[in-house]
Structures are given as structure tokens and as C-alpha cells.
Amino acid sequence: MIPLLRVIRWLPHVVMTALMIVAMVDMLVGVFLRYVMTWVSATFDLPSVRFFWVEEIGEYSLAWLTFIGAAIGIRRGTHFAVHILTDRFPPAVRRGVKVGHYVLLIGFGLLLTVYGWQVSELNSQSYSPALDLNLRWLYLSSVVGGVLTMIYSAAGALDAWRAPA
Amino acid sequence: MLFSAVAVTFLALTIVSLPIVFSLGIAGFVGLVVGNFSLGKLPSSLVAGSQSWVLLAIPTFIFAGNLMERCGMSYALVDLARALIGWVRGGLGMSVVLAEYFFSGISGSTIADVSAIGAMLTPPMLRAGYKPEHAASLVASATAMGILVPPAIFMIVLGQVTDTSVVGIFLGGFLPAAVTAVCLMVVIFGQAHRLNWPKDRRPTRAEFGVAARASLVPMVVPIVIVLGFYFGVFTATEAGALVAAYAVGAALLYYRNVSPREMLVLIHESALLTAAVVFLLAVASVYQFLMGMLGVPAMLGALLQPLHATPWLFLLAVSVIVILFGMVLEGLPAAVVLVPVVFPIAKQIGIHPIHFNIVLTAAVGIGLFLPPIGVGLLMALRFANISVGQHFRSYWPYLASLVVGLMILILFPEITLFLPRRAGLVR
């Protein structure tokens, strides 16, 4: 595969894993600040350390990692589905159904992208209370999620289409 | 009109096995279109629903559970359970229940429990002469009980959906799990004598010491959680961070059997699972808006009016619905679809939120292991390599004892509320 393509292919995985680490480390730092540093600054009469940015970093990482991970999960099969009926279908029909799923998901991704973009524009005037971050950056997660959903679903549709019945 | 459009879309897509979360998402779009609401409501609810401090407990507990399992902590817990009770008649079967109680205390996911306990205890049971169908029944019913032992991802989700203290629900789970475990043990004891199941050799004091020492490292986790919550030291989210840090520390310094590369792979897998859970909740939050607009809770409230005078009957009715939904839809989707509708009524007729959530958790546990298509049950059967039909005849006593356990929890709220009350979380 072309190196650039390979990078693009791994990018969502790397970003998602990094966000997971950020979220966990952030919470641990939060616990440290709340329990240890508060005590330290109270005992030694030091200026208190502010830590309410901890919540924002954690929550925003979770939002982003959710959208990216949910899109990756489409092809990994991490989302639960009910298979009672379709398991009884003949292979050819099953294949058709599968292609149909991915096409539906492309539509879902498209709607998410378009309206997610609208919502991020709408929120681009607001700033988060602790980090003073433009809220557009939070809502753009839905756009990225929508785009990734379309990409993974398109790839899935192609694979399902080509697969021998 | 709106209601039926949403319901039909959801059901049609789900039955052709589109992942439930996307059936919900697409049906949500349909609902917004039919109801003439702004379509921007979907992405904005999705973002708002996934950006939550309470839900941040999910990634850490999932990761910590995966890592501790990978280190081999589960082996130590199984050995401890066997040393404690294995020498009684049918003791190996009882140790499945006990091991699951311990293991569930470090793991947050029921499905992970089935694979861990099923993989570790099915082979020794078969070797000891248990029939495969009994081995599978033991694993299935024990894990159905284990969902009540905190930490449980399911309880975090319920806490978020019903706006109840997750710490309260966690604390509420310990005794109900113990009660259900006792119900199971009674059945196992009876079965053991009827079917003449073997005893393990009584462990020597030295052997027992070895098992107890090996389990010290994993047992720190549930003990710290119980004490920390009981004394109100930290929140569920903070506990998750601490447990994850502890797991990393134990893996790197004590067990030393997980390479950095494997650690990254575990983080990656845990992130995928986290995303699946949180995304589902985020999608479901659209429905809280839609159903509020439709007045569904008020409608259902009127429908269930006759049950208002008898809270236990109401809880029983809800449990039956949840068990069936849980069997078909799996636990979390069932909860996010049903709970926002039923919970306001429960609160209105004076059922304590923690009691309600624990009963629901127990019911979902049963649903996951209900034949013919409970997901957990199907997994448990895979380890014993038998079919649902072969299995059911030996399964029903265990299933019945789970139901008895559930009834006890419904009828005696104090079992659930005792610990949270002592901790000052219930007035």
C-alpha cells in the first residue's frame, strides 16, 4: 500500500488510542490535584491549584473518542446487532442485506456530517467556561464522526459487494 | 404518528440486523423529520450525550478490567474460590459462583466475565465429571448474578440515564449479589447431592495460604472500592481512575508480564468498547427529547395506573419487560430504550431510585442469560460446546433460583438500600 494511505488508515486508531490515554491520565491528575494538592496548599498555606479544567479535558476527549471509535467499530463489529432472522437468509440475500446496511450507514454519516457542521457553526460563538475553548471544536467531533462513518461504510459496502456469495 | 414512524423504523432495521445503535440513530432522524424538529438536534444531542463526567468512569473500568484479566489476576481469584469452597460436595460448582463474585469485583463487563469464568472453569468441571450442560448452566447463572457486583458498566449507564448517584448504585449492588449467590448455591448444593458431584480434596493450610496470598493483589480493588464508596472518599469516576492506575502499577511492577505494546493494544480495544457503549447512550439521549415531546412517559404512566398502588407489582412488571428486552436487545440498548420511560413512574410511586436500578440490573442479568437467544447464554454455551435445546432441561433450576433471587430483591428493598443507607446516601 502507498505509505500515505497507510498513515491515513491508521490515523483514526492512533488518535482514538491517544484520546483514551489523555482521558485516563487527565482523571488521575484530577484525583491528585483534588486530594493531594488541595491538602498540600491548605497545609502549607500556598495558593490553591485550580483544577476544574480537568473535567473539560476529560469530557471533550470522551466525546471525540466516542465518535471516532463508533465509526471504527462499524467494520470491527463492536456494535451489537440482532441476528435471529438474517441468519436464516440464503447467502445471496444476506450479502444484499449487508450492502444495504452499509448504504444506510453512508446516509446516516452524511446527515451527521451536514447537520453536525451546522451545529458547530452555531456554537462557534460560545466558549467553554474553564479552558476558554471555542465550542466549535467540541461539536466538530460529530462532523469527523460522520465523515469517518461514511468512509468505513463505503469500504464495507465495497467489500460486501465483492465478496463471493 | 410520530411514535409509530419511529417504532416501525427502529423495529424494521433491527430485525434485518442493522446494529441497534444505528437503527436507533436512523429512527431518531425519522422522528425529527416527522415531528418537524430541527435535524441539528441529533448531532447536538450526540455530542452533549457523550460529553459527560459520569460516563468517564466507563473507559477506566473497562481498561482496568481488561488489563487485570490479562495479567492473570482472574487465575488467582479462581484459585482462592476453589480453596475456600471446592472441598464441599459440588464445591467446584459453587466455586464458579464465588469466583464470579470476586472476579466481577474487578471487572466491569458481564460479557468479559463470561469469557473469563467460562474459559477458566469449564475445563476443570468437565474433567471432574460435570456434564457439559451443567457446566454451562453454572457459568451462565453465576455470571447473571455477577452483573450485580460493582463495578459494572451497566450500573454507570443506569446512573447516567436515571440521574442517580453511581456510588449509591454500586454500594447497593453488593448485598443483592450476595443474596442471589446464596440462592444459586442452594440449588447447586441440591443438585450436587442428587447428581453425586465430586468433592475437591480439602486444601492444606499451606495451600490455602498460597491461594490467599496470590489473591491479595487483585482483592485490593474491590476492597478499596467498597471502603472508598462507603466512606464517601471518592466518586465513581475517580475510583475508575484509581483502579486503572493500580492495574497499570500491578502489571508493570508486580506481574511484569504485559509488554508496552500489549498495553497499547489493550487501550485500543478498551477505547473501541468504550466508544460503542457511550455512543449508544448518546444516540439514546435523542429519544429523551423525542419522548418528552410526545408525552410518552405520561401516557405510560396512565397505562400503568392500576399498578401504582402496589410498587412490587410494578417492579415485577417492569422486570418481566426488561428481561425480555434484555434477551433480545442485550442489556444496554434495552436499558437506554426503556428506562427513561419507566423511571419517572417508578419515582412517582415512591420506589427508591437505587432500589429501582438494582432490580433493573438483576433483571437485565437474567435477560442476558435467558434462552433461547440471550447473548451471555450463547457465549457460555460456546465454552461447553452444546446447543440451547440440549441445555435448557438442566438449566431451568438455576434460572428459577435467579428469578427467586430477583423476587426477594423486589420484595425487600432494604437488602439493596442497607449499605447505601449506612453510608448516608439514602435518607
Side-chain angles (χ1 to χ4, degrees):
Chain A
M1 204 194 303
I2 320 162
L4 182 68
L5 256 178
R6 183 178 264 164
V7 171
I8 293 176
R9 183 171 174 165
W10 283 106
L11 194 61
H13 293 267
V14 172
V15 173
M16 178 187 70
T17 309
L19 284 169
M20 181 85 172
I21 297 173
V22 167
M24 292 198 289
V25 170
D26 166 76
M27 280 187 286
L28 209 59
V29 170
V31 171
F32 179 77
L33 290 180
R34 192 179 142 192
Y35 293 94
V36 181
M37 287 315 284
T38 312
W39 177 81
V40 167
S41 45
T43 318
F44 299 102
D45 207 20
L46 296 168
S48 61
V49 191
R50 290 153 55 84
F51 49 82
F52 72 93
W53 48 267
V54 169
E55 257 180 59
E56 275 181 22
I57 292 187
E59 290 175 6
Y60 291 8
S61 315
L62 184 63
W64 273 88
L65 107 78
T66 300
F67 277 103
I68 298 173
I72 296 176
I74 292 174
R75 299 213 60 200
R76 292 279 176 116
T78 48
H79 300 292
F80 181 76
V82 177
H83 289 285
I84 333 167
L85 185 67
T86 44
D87 277 352
R88 274 150 222 213
F89 287 174
V93 179
R94 223 168 1 186
R95 189 177 119 195
V97 169
K98 216 168 176 182
V99 175
H101 284 175
Y102 285 123
V103 172
L104 268 175
L105 289 186
I106 295 175
F108 180 75
L110 186 66
L111 285 170
L112 200 57
T113 312
V114 172
Y115 289 96
W117 182 260
Q118 257 184 25
V119 173
S120 356
E121 285 301 302
L122 224 63
N123 281 285
S124 62
Q125 307 299 324
S126 327
Y127 292 82
S128 71
L131 295 171
D132 201 29
L133 191 81
N134 192 319
L135 281 187
R136 172 195 276 151
W137 292 107
L138 171 63
Y139 284 91
L140 275 179
S141 58
S142 64
V143 178
V144 170
V147 171
L148 287 175
T149 301
M150 287 194 281
I151 295 174
Y152 285 114
S153 308
L158 275 179
D159 277 3
W161 184 260
R162 285 203 208 117
Chain B
M1 169 64 193
L2 201 168
F3 181 78
S4 44
V6 172
V8 167
T9 313
F10 171 69
L11 289 177
L13 292 176
T14 302
I15 194 77
V16 294
S17 52
L18 187 72
I20 291 178
V21 63
F22 294 111
S23 308
L24 277 173
I26 292 171
F29 264 126
V30 169
L32 291 174
V33 171
V34 175
N36 215 1
F37 302 110
S38 153
L39 286 185
K41 190 72 205 163
L42 189 87
S44 61
S45 314
L46 281 181
V47 173
S50 57
Q51 171 222 357
S52 144
W53 181 248
V54 174
L55 295 183
L56 266 170
I58 295 176
T60 46
F61 276 122
I62 290 182
F63 168 66
N66 280 343
L67 180 56
M68 291 190 280
E69 157 70 15
R70 178 69 190 66
C71 288
M73 286 195 191
S74 37
Y75 290 99
L77 294 175
V78 167
D79 287 346
L80 177 68
R82 289 184 67 173
L84 279 173
I85 207 169
W87 44 274
V88 181
R89 184 159 302 285
L92 186 56
M94 295 185 193
S95 67
V96 176
V97 177
L98 201 58
E100 166 59 16
Y101 196 99
F102 294 153
F103 183 63
S104 195
I106 63 172
S107 138
S109 144
T110 305
I111 296 302
D113 291 7
V114 188
S115 19
I117 297 292
M120 274 183 299
L121 281 161
T122 311
M125 279 194 281
L126 297 182
R127 271 199 303 276
Y130 288 58
K131 285 203 177 130
E133 51 268 37
H134 289 290
S137 301
L138 287 164
V139 170
S141 52
T143 335
M145 173 281 296
I147 195 173
L148 283 165
V149 185
I153 304 305
F154 187 72
M155 293 179 181
I156 302 172
V157 169
L158 281 182
Q160 167 82 0
V161 177
T162 63
D163 201 15
T164 307
S165 142
V166 176
V167 170
I169 306 177
F170 273 11
L171 271 181
F174 284 105
L175 290 181
V179 167
T180 314
V182 169
C183 292
L184 281 173
M185 298 253 195
V186 169
V187 170
I188 297 171
F189 189 75
Q191 292 277 61
H193 282 267
R194 196 171 65 88
L195 300 165
N196 206 14
W197 283 344
K199 305 178 187 180
D200 274 0
R201 191 173 47 82
R202 202 185 253 273
T204 63
R205 193 169 284 230
E207 284 168 333
F208 186 80
V210 169
R213 255 193 46 194
S215 63
L216 276 183
V217 176
M219 285 305 263
V220 165
V221 175
I223 291 171
V224 165
I225 292 182
V226 179
L227 294 180
F229 286 169
Y230 188 82
F231 293 108
V233 182
F234 39 59
T235 65
T237 307
E238 289 168 340
L242 287 174
V243 171
Y246 179 77
V248 171
L252 294 180
L253 304 174
Y254 182 78
Y255 291 99
R256 298 191 202 166
N257 55 1
V258 185
S259 70
R261 205 194 137 76
E262 284 172 311
M263 191 87 87
L264 271 181
V265 171
L266 278 177
I267 295 178
H268 178 260
E269 281 169 14
S270 312
L272 277 176
L273 189 57
T274 304
V277 173
V278 178
F279 192 60
L280 177 68
L281 265 163
V283 170
S285 66
V286 180
Y287 285 84
Q288 281 159 33
F289 167 78
L290 277 176
M291 286 197 285
M293 281 301 187
L294 284 170
V296 173
M299 224 163 67
L300 247 132
L303 196 71
L304 295 171
Q305 187 71 42
L307 296 179
H308 282 199
T310 36
W312 69 269
L313 209 59
F314 173 81
L315 274 177
L316 185 66
V318 171
S319 300
V320 171
I321 301 174
V322 168
I323 288 174
L324 294 176
F325 266 60
M327 174 185 74
V328 182
L329 292 183
E330 214 232 346
L332 286 176
V336 297
V337 173
L338 273 178
V339 172
V341 183
V342 197
F343 180 66
I345 308 169
K347 226 162 77 179
Q348 198 191 325
I349 58 182
I351 297 168
H352 194 281
I354 295 179
H355 184 217
F356 175 81
N357 281 316
I358 289 295
V359 168
L360 218 71
T361 307
V364 158
I366 298 176
L368 282 175
F369 292 91
L370 191 72
I373 57 162
V375 198
L377 178 70
L378 295 182
M379 282 190 69
L381 292 181
R382 223 180 294 157
F383 287 102
N385 210 2
I386 47 171
S387 74
V388 179
Q390 281 173 305
H391 175 245
F392 184 72
R393 254 176 306 158
S394 63
Y395 186 42
W396 70 263
Y398 305 95
L399 205 55
S401 81
L402 287 174
V403 173
V404 169
L406 176 69
M407 277 311 294
I408 296 176
L409 298 186
I410 290 177
L411 291 174
F412 303 101
E414 223 22 61
I415 297 173
T416 304
L417 296 178
F418 178 73
L419 275 179
R421 194 190 298 283
R422 293 301 297 270
L425 290 160
V426 177
R427 257 155 298 151

